[in-house]
Amino acid sequence: ELQLTRYQKKQRYKAHVDDDGSLDPKRLKTIFAYLTELDGKKCGGATAFYRIRGKNGKPLRVYPTKR
């Protein structure tokens, strides 16, 4: 089942777990597509992976970037 989510300004998706460890996980794969920029500032729009730690020991955060 395909799930799409669109965020308006000031909206956010609360922390959640996609895989509950069962044989039938809620979501097998996730693809992110950021369609707008944030003026090069890290002021929002990040996706945090709380189970993956960066070199600083904090949760890994991925910010939208223009390529």
Side-chain angles (χ1 to χ4, degrees):
E1 176 179 321
L2 177 65
Q3 293 179 336
L4 299 174
T5 304
R6 179 180 179 198
Y7 301 100
Q8 301 295 330
K9 284 186 178 185
K10 305 287 183 183
Q11 280 188 314
R12 62 181 287 208
Y13 205 64
K14 293 183 181 180
H16 65 282
V17 177
D18 289 340
D19 183 357
D20 59 6
S22 69
L23 295 176
D24 187 22
K26 295 178 190 175
R27 191 172 294 136
L28 294 176
K29 296 179 183 178
T30 301
I31 298 172
F32 296 98
Y34 296 99
L35 303 179
T36 59
E37 285 187 88
L38 296 174
D39 299 326
K41 299 175 185 174
K42 291 185 177 180
C43 60
T47 298
F49 296 90
Y50 292 98
R51 293 185 179 181
I52 302 172
R53 300 292 171 171
K55 292 180 182 178
N56 61 4
K58 294 182 179 179
L60 175 66
R61 290 186 178 273
V62 178
Y63 290 88
T65 58
K66 186 175 183 179
R67 300 228 178 231

